[in-house]
Amino acid sequence: MKVLSIQSAVAHGHVGNSAAVFPLQRIGVEVVPVHTVNFSNHTGYGAWRGPLIPPADVAEVLLGVEERGVFPQIDIVLSGYQGGVGIGDVIIDAVRRVKAANPSAFYACDPVMGNAKSGCFVAPEIPVLLRDRVVPVADLITPNQFELGFLTGTEPSTLESTLASADLARAMGPSAVLVTSVERPDRPEGTIEMLAADDAGAWIVRTPHLPFKANGSGDVTAALFAAHYRESGKASVALERTASSVFDLIETTYRSGERELQLVQAQEFYATPRLQFTAEQVR
């Protein structure tokens, strides 16, 4: 399997490609990372250095990769945080060209906008771009519950309303939806869930909720789920593998006391997930 991952990169810490690439490699996936920024650290610190790479330069890198004959080998195009409207156009064009070279390729989009606690933390035009132009060309999207609500103009909270919102998102274009950070009111205390839905049905998986914010965990989740889903063809299998690996990554980080994901220290949990959580079919 080969993934073209168009995302941000940081020197210190693990977000964007700096979070997604290594776990994919540890499960045996070849990754072609194309960076959209090259920052010293993620923006959650409040200060950072380094360039936002101009969309034209990103397009040039993609053209060079295409000229090497790589596009027919790409199984998945993966994107995450989009810093501006221009980069969205570059990603959409790259998806079109990859699919022309390999019709079986699919596009996995993590529509990063914000979360329920912080609200939107991207430029005002980005959510509209994602909703109106990017999501409709995606095959798989991986929003959190807050982002799912924006995309569909709904307020998912219960299992039923989250399923209904996922259906609305799938009607926009994607055939599969992974909803992360599902916090329905009737869940057991101290837990959090993820829900996946596609043409075959819908499944939910529950894990303990650690009192810890881990920047980059969503990037790892989107990458691993996309790869496992592509390999297995089953949302339930991808859900169980991803939940297992990401929980153990977050727990390893939490126990370390470090702020940044302990991505390398947790590497065996990607290669050999413990599969300690079972996906329950809910439809």
Side-chain angles (χ1 to χ4, degrees):
M1 189 187 302
K2 186 170 287 189
V3 174
L4 174 64
S5 183
I6 309 171
Q7 300 197 57
S8 59
V10 294
H12 168 67
H14 301 289
V15 298
N17 272 335
S18 302
V21 172
F22 181 61
L24 287 173
Q25 291 171 332
R26 282 298 279 124
I27 64 171
V29 174
E30 185 73 42
V31 187
V32 181
V34 175
H35 302 328
T36 56
V37 309
N38 187 19
F39 287 166
S40 55
N41 50 270
H42 68 69
T43 59
Y45 285 93
W48 65 93
R49 296 182 183 274
L52 180 70
I53 300 173
D57 290 345
V58 178
E60 276 291 294
V61 173
L62 287 162
L63 178 59
V65 172
E66 183 179 27
E67 290 171 342
R68 301 288 77 75
V70 176
F71 279 11
Q73 304 168 17
I74 299 296
D75 298 292
I76 302 170
V77 180
L78 175 66
S79 73
Y81 170 76
Q82 298 186 18
V85 174
I87 199 65
D89 293 330
V90 171
I91 292 170
I92 291 169
D93 184 59
V95 170
R96 178 186 60 79
R97 284 152 49 198
V98 166
K99 288 191 170 187
N102 178 13
S104 69
F106 82 84
Y107 173 34
C109 169
D110 186 9
V112 178
M113 303 178 209
N115 56 58
K117 291 183 176 65
S118 305
C120 276
F121 50 65
V122 298
E125 63 270 20
I126 296 301
V128 177
L129 166 76
L130 290 167
R131 182 191 64 202
D132 295 347
R133 298 188 54 211
V134 180
V135 167
V137 303
D139 301 288
L140 164 67
I141 59 171
T142 59
N144 60 36
Q145 199 171 25
F146 170 84
E147 293 160 342
L148 177 67
F150 177 86
L151 290 173
T152 58
T154 61
E155 296 184 5
S157 57
T158 64
L159 175 60
E160 292 73 19
S161 61
T162 303
L163 282 168
S165 297
D167 288 340
L168 289 173
R170 293 179 63 231
M172 297 168 66
S175 58
V177 176
L178 170 70
V179 188
T180 63
S181 301
V182 175
E183 299 185 58
R184 50 177 171 155
D186 58 341
R187 74 190 188 283
E189 186 177 353
T191 66
I192 195 165
E193 297 168 317
M194 293 196 295
L195 180 145
D198 64 6
D199 291 340
W203 294 263
I204 198 163
V205 67
R206 179 184 301 137
T207 70
H209 186 198
L210 297 171
F212 173 72
K213 180 183 178 183
N215 291 87
S217 58
D219 302 319
V220 177
T221 300
L224 288 177
F225 184 87
H228 287 313
Y229 186 60
R230 174 69 187 221
E231 180 190 29
S232 68
K234 295 182 178 180
S236 58
V237 171
L239 196 58
E240 290 176 348
R241 291 177 181 174
T242 302
S244 174
S245 297
V246 173
F247 175 79
D248 281 336
L249 165 63
I250 294 175
E251 186 176 48
T252 299
T253 304
Y254 179 64
R255 292 184 182 281
S256 75
E258 297 291 331
R259 174 171 182 170
E260 294 289 347
L261 286 177
Q262 299 298 287
L263 202 74
V264 175
Q265 292 81 351
Q267 62 182 287
E268 290 306 318
F269 296 126
Y270 326 135
T272 54
R274 291 192 294 145
L275 299 178
Q276 67 273 43
F277 308 113
T278 301
E280 174 192 356
Q281 186 161 11
V282 290
R283 188 174 63 201

